[in-house]
Structure formats: C-alpha cells, structure tokens
Coordinates of all heavy atoms in Angstrom, one line a residue:
P181 N 111.6 8.3 206.4 CA 110.5 8.5 207.3 C 110.8 9.6 208.3 O 111.9 9.7 208.8 CB 110.3 7.1 207.9 CG 111.1 6.2 207.0 CD 112.2 7.0 206.5
W182 N 109.7 10.3 208.7 CA 109.9 11.3 209.7 C 108.6 11.6 210.4 O 107.6 11.1 210.0 CB 110.5 12.6 209.1 CG 109.5 13.3 208.2 CD1 109.1 12.9 207.0 CD2 108.8 14.5 208.4 NE1 108.2 13.7 206.4 CE2 108.0 14.8 207.3 CE3 108.8 15.4 209.5 CZ2 107.2 15.9 207.2 CZ3 107.9 16.5 209.4 CH2 107.1 16.7 208.3
D183 N 108.7 12.3 211.6 CA 107.4 12.6 212.2 C 107.2 14.1 212.2 O 108.0 14.9 211.7 CB 107.4 12.1 213.7 CG 108.6 12.6 214.5 OD1 109.0 13.8 214.3 OD2 109.1 11.8 215.3
N184 N 106.1 14.5 212.8 CA 105.7 16.0 212.7 C 106.7 16.9 213.5 O 106.7 18.1 213.2 CB 104.3 16.2 213.3 CG 103.2 15.6 212.4 OD1 103.4 15.4 211.2 ND2 102.1 15.2 213.0
G185 N 107.5 16.3 214.4 CA 108.4 17.1 215.1 C 109.8 17.3 214.4 O 110.6 18.0 214.9
S186 N 110.0 16.6 213.3 CA 111.3 16.6 212.6 C 111.3 17.8 211.7 O 110.4 18.0 210.8 CB 111.5 15.4 211.8 OG 111.5 14.2 212.7
P187 N 112.3 18.7 211.8 CA 112.3 19.9 210.9 C 112.6 19.5 209.5 O 113.4 18.6 209.2 CB 113.4 20.7 211.5 CG 114.3 19.7 212.2 CD 113.4 18.7 212.7
L188 N 112.0 20.2 208.5 CA 112.3 19.9 207.1 C 113.5 20.7 206.7 O 113.7 21.9 207.1 CB 111.1 20.4 206.2 CG 109.9 19.4 206.2 CD1 108.8 20.1 205.5 CD2 110.3 18.1 205.5
G189 N 114.3 20.2 205.8 CA 115.4 20.9 205.2 C 114.9 22.0 204.2 O 113.7 21.9 203.8
Q190 N 115.8 22.9 203.8 CA 115.3 24.0 203.0 C 114.8 23.5 201.6 O 113.9 24.1 201.1 CB 116.5 24.9 202.7 CG 116.1 26.2 202.0 CD 117.3 27.1 201.9 OE1 118.4 26.8 202.3 NE2 117.0 28.3 201.4
D191 N 115.3 22.3 201.1 CA 114.9 21.8 199.8 C 114.0 20.6 200.0 O 113.8 19.8 199.0 CB 116.1 21.5 199.0 CG 115.7 21.1 197.5 OD1 114.9 21.8 196.9 OD2 116.2 20.1 197.0
E192 N 113.4 20.4 201.1 CA 112.6 19.2 201.4 C 111.1 19.5 201.5 O 110.7 20.6 202.0 CB 113.1 18.5 202.6 CG 114.5 17.9 202.5 CD 114.9 17.2 203.8 OE1 114.4 17.6 204.9 OE2 115.7 16.3 203.8
V193 N 110.3 18.5 201.1 CA 108.9 18.6 201.3 C 108.4 17.3 201.8 O 109.1 16.2 201.7 CB 108.1 18.9 200.0 CG1 108.4 20.3 199.5 CG2 108.5 17.9 198.9
E194 N 107.2 17.2 202.5 CA 106.7 16.0 203.0 C 105.6 15.4 202.1 O 104.8 16.2 201.5 CB 106.1 16.3 204.4 CG 104.9 17.2 204.4 CD 104.3 17.5 205.7 OE1 105.1 17.5 206.7 OE2 103.1 17.7 205.8
V195 N 105.7 14.1 201.9 CA 104.7 13.4 201.1 C 104.0 12.3 201.9 O 104.8 11.5 202.5 CB 105.3 12.8 199.8 CG1 104.3 11.9 199.0 CG2 105.9 13.9 198.9
P196 N 102.7 12.3 202.0 CA 102.1 11.3 202.9 C 102.3 9.9 202.3 O 102.3 9.6 201.1 CB 100.6 11.6 202.8 CG 100.4 12.4 201.5 CD 101.7 13.2 201.4
F197 N 102.5 8.9 203.3 CA 102.8 7.5 202.9 C 101.6 6.7 203.5 O 101.5 6.5 204.7 CB 104.1 7.1 203.5 CG 104.5 5.7 203.2 CD1 103.9 5.0 202.1 CD2 105.4 5.0 204.0 CE1 104.3 3.7 201.8 CE2 105.7 3.7 203.7 CZ 105.2 3.0 202.6
Y198 N 100.7 6.3 202.7 CA 99.5 5.6 203.1 C 99.9 4.1 203.3 O 99.8 3.3 202.3 CB 98.3 5.8 202.2 CG 97.9 7.2 202.1 CD1 98.2 7.9 201.0 CD2 97.2 7.8 203.1 CE1 97.7 9.3 200.9 CE2 96.7 9.1 203.0 CZ 97.0 9.8 201.9 OH 96.6 11.1 201.8
M199 N 100.2 3.7 204.5 CA 100.8 2.3 204.7 C 99.7 1.3 204.7 O 100.0 0.1 204.4 CB 101.5 2.3 206.0 CG 102.7 3.2 206.1 SD 103.7 3.0 207.6 CE 104.4 1.4 207.2
E200 N 98.4 1.6 204.9 CA 97.4 0.6 204.9 C 96.7 0.5 203.6 O 95.9 -0.4 203.3 CB 96.3 0.9 206.0 CG 96.7 0.5 207.4 CD 95.5 0.5 208.3 OE1 94.5 1.0 207.9 OE2 95.7 0.0 209.4
V201 N 97.1 1.3 202.7 CA 96.5 1.3 201.3 C 97.5 0.7 200.4 O 98.5 1.3 200.1 CB 96.1 2.7 200.8 CG1 95.5 2.6 199.4 CG2 95.1 3.3 201.8
E202 N 97.3 -0.5 199.9 CA 98.2 -1.2 199.0 C 97.6 -1.2 197.6 O 96.4 -1.4 197.4 CB 98.5 -2.6 199.5 CG 99.3 -2.7 200.8 CD 99.6 -4.1 201.1 OE1 98.9 -5.0 200.6 OE2 100.6 -4.3 201.7
L203 N 98.5 -1.0 196.6 CA 98.0 -1.1 195.2 C 98.4 -2.6 194.8 O 99.5 -3.0 194.9 CB 98.8 -0.2 194.3 CG 98.5 1.3 194.6 CD1 99.3 2.1 193.7 CD2 97.0 1.6 194.4
A204 N 97.4 -3.3 194.4 CA 97.6 -4.7 194.2 C 98.2 -4.9 192.8 O 97.6 -4.5 191.8 CB 96.2 -5.4 194.3
A205 N 99.4 -5.5 192.8 CA 100.0 -5.8 191.5 C 99.7 -7.3 191.3 O 100.6 -8.2 191.4 CB 101.5 -5.5 191.6
G206 N 98.5 -7.6 190.9 CA 98.1 -9.0 190.8 C 96.6 -9.0 190.6 O 96.0 -8.2 189.9
E207 N 95.9 -9.8 191.3 CA 94.4 -9.8 191.2 C 93.8 -8.7 191.9 O 92.6 -8.4 191.7 CB 93.9 -11.2 191.8 CG 94.4 -12.4 191.0 CD 94.0 -12.3 189.5 OE1 92.9 -11.8 189.2 OE2 94.7 -12.7 188.7
G208 N 94.5 -8.0 192.8 CA 94.0 -6.8 193.5 C 93.5 -7.2 194.9 O 93.2 -8.3 195.2
I209 N 93.4 -6.1 195.7 CA 92.8 -6.3 197.1 C 91.8 -5.3 197.3 O 91.8 -4.2 196.6 CB 93.9 -6.2 198.1 CG1 94.6 -4.8 198.0 CG2 94.9 -7.3 198.1 CD1 95.6 -4.5 199.2
T210 N 90.9 -5.5 198.2 CA 89.8 -4.6 198.4 C 90.4 -3.3 199.0 O 91.3 -3.4 199.9 CB 88.8 -5.2 199.4 OG1 88.3 -6.4 198.8 CG2 87.6 -4.3 199.7
E211 N 89.8 -2.2 198.6 CA 90.3 -0.9 199.1 C 90.2 -0.8 200.6 O 89.1 -1.0 201.1 CB 89.6 0.2 198.4 CG 90.1 1.6 198.7 CD 89.4 2.7 197.9 OE1 88.5 2.3 197.1 OE2 89.7 3.9 198.1
A212 N 91.2 -0.4 201.3 CA 91.2 -0.2 202.7 C 90.9 1.2 203.0 O 91.0 2.1 202.2 CB 92.5 -0.7 203.3
V213 N 90.7 1.5 204.3 CA 90.5 2.9 204.7 C 91.8 3.6 204.9 O 92.7 3.0 205.5 CB 89.8 2.9 206.1 CG1 89.6 4.3 206.6 CG2 88.4 2.3 206.0
E214 N 92.0 4.7 204.2 CA 93.2 5.4 204.2 C 93.5 6.1 205.5 O 92.6 6.6 206.1 CB 93.3 6.4 203.1 CG 93.2 5.8 201.7 CD 93.4 6.8 200.6 OE1 93.6 7.9 200.9 OE2 93.2 6.4 199.4
Y215 N 94.8 6.1 205.9 CA 95.2 6.9 207.1 C 96.6 7.3 206.8 O 97.4 6.6 206.1 CB 95.0 6.2 208.4 CG 96.2 5.3 208.7 CD1 97.2 5.6 209.7 CD2 96.3 4.0 208.1 CE1 98.2 4.8 209.9 CE2 97.4 3.2 208.4 CZ 98.3 3.6 209.3 OH 99.4 2.8 209.6
K216 N 97.0 8.4 207.4 CA 98.4 8.9 207.2 C 99.3 8.2 208.2 O 99.3 8.4 209.4 CB 98.4 10.4 207.4 CG 97.7 11.2 206.3 CD 98.0 12.7 206.5 CE 97.3 13.5 205.3 NZ 97.6 14.9 205.4
G217 N 100.2 7.4 207.6 CA 101.3 6.8 208.4 C 102.5 7.7 208.3 O 102.4 9.0 208.2
P218 N 103.7 7.2 208.4 CA 104.9 8.0 208.3 C 104.9 8.7 206.9 O 104.5 8.2 205.9 CB 106.0 6.9 208.3 CG 105.4 5.8 209.0 CD 104.0 5.7 208.6
K219 N 105.5 9.9 207.0 CA 105.6 10.7 205.8 C 107.0 10.4 205.2 O 107.9 10.0 205.9 CB 105.5 12.2 206.1 CG 104.1 12.6 206.5 CD 104.0 14.1 206.7 CE 102.7 14.5 207.1 NZ 102.4 14.1 208.5
L220 N 107.2 10.6 203.9 CA 108.4 10.4 203.2 C 108.9 11.8 202.7 O 108.1 12.6 202.3 CB 108.3 9.5 202.0 CG 107.8 8.1 202.3 CD1 107.7 7.2 201.1 CD2 108.6 7.4 203.4
R221 N 110.2 12.0 202.8 CA 110.8 13.2 202.3 C 111.3 13.2 200.9 O 112.0 12.2 200.5 CB 112.0 13.6 203.3 CG 111.6 14.0 204.7 CD 112.8 14.4 205.5 NE 112.4 14.8 206.8 CZ 113.3 15.3 207.7 NH1 114.5 15.4 207.4 NH2 112.8 15.6 208.9
F222 N 110.9 14.2 200.1 CA 111.4 14.3 198.8 C 112.1 15.7 198.7 O 111.6 16.6 199.3 CB 110.3 14.2 197.8 CG 109.9 12.8 197.5 CD1 109.0 12.1 198.3 CD2 110.4 12.1 196.4 CE1 108.6 10.8 198.0 CE2 110.0 10.8 196.1 CZ 109.1 10.2 196.9
A223 N 113.1 15.8 197.8 CA 113.7 17.1 197.5 C 112.7 17.8 196.6 O 112.1 17.2 195.7 CB 115.0 16.9 196.8
K224 N 112.5 19.1 196.8 CA 111.6 19.9 195.9 C 112.1 19.8 194.5 O 111.3 19.7 193.6 CB 111.6 21.3 196.4 CG 111.0 21.6 197.8 CD 111.1 23.0 198.1 CE 110.6 23.3 199.6 NZ 110.8 24.7 200.0
S225 N 113.4 19.8 194.3 CA 113.9 19.7 192.9 C 113.6 18.4 192.2 O 113.4 18.4 191.0 CB 115.5 19.9 193.0 OG 116.1 18.9 193.8
T226 N 113.5 17.3 193.0 CA 113.1 16.0 192.4 C 111.7 16.1 191.9 O 111.4 15.7 190.8 CB 113.2 14.9 193.5 OG1 114.6 14.8 193.9 CG2 112.7 13.6 193.0

C-alpha cells in the first residue's frame, strides 16, 4: 500500500485497490459504489 506522496521505483506501477467493492465468492453481494482506496504496487515486469 502507498499514498500519492510515495515515490514509485523505476520498475513499479500503481494499481487501484477498490476496498469497498467486494467480489462475492458465494451468493454475491449488491454492487457498492467504487472509490479509490490505497493503491497497490506491482513490478512492471510482473
């Protein structure tokens, strides 16, 4: 997790993490309103 003030590494990119939107692995839940919570870092090579 990181915030907008954290510098990205040369091989890193930011991916949005929608914390209020859950994918229901079961009977399902009603779709919630999406918002951008903490971002997750992935290596570009990944």
Side-chain angles (χ1 to χ4, degrees):
W182 66 289
D183 58 37
N184 291 333
S186 302
L188 283 171
Q190 187 174 5
D191 187 46
E192 292 179 335
V193 292
E194 62 180 35
V195 173
F197 183 22
Y198 297 107
M199 298 188 68
E200 280 194 350
V201 179
E202 292 186 333
L203 294 179
E207 294 303 324
I209 58 174
T210 303
E211 184 175 2
V213 177
E214 297 185 4
Y215 82 103
K216 288 187 178 181
K219 296 184 178 70
L220 302 182
R221 292 183 178 185
F222 280 83
K224 294 178 183 177
S225 55
T226 295

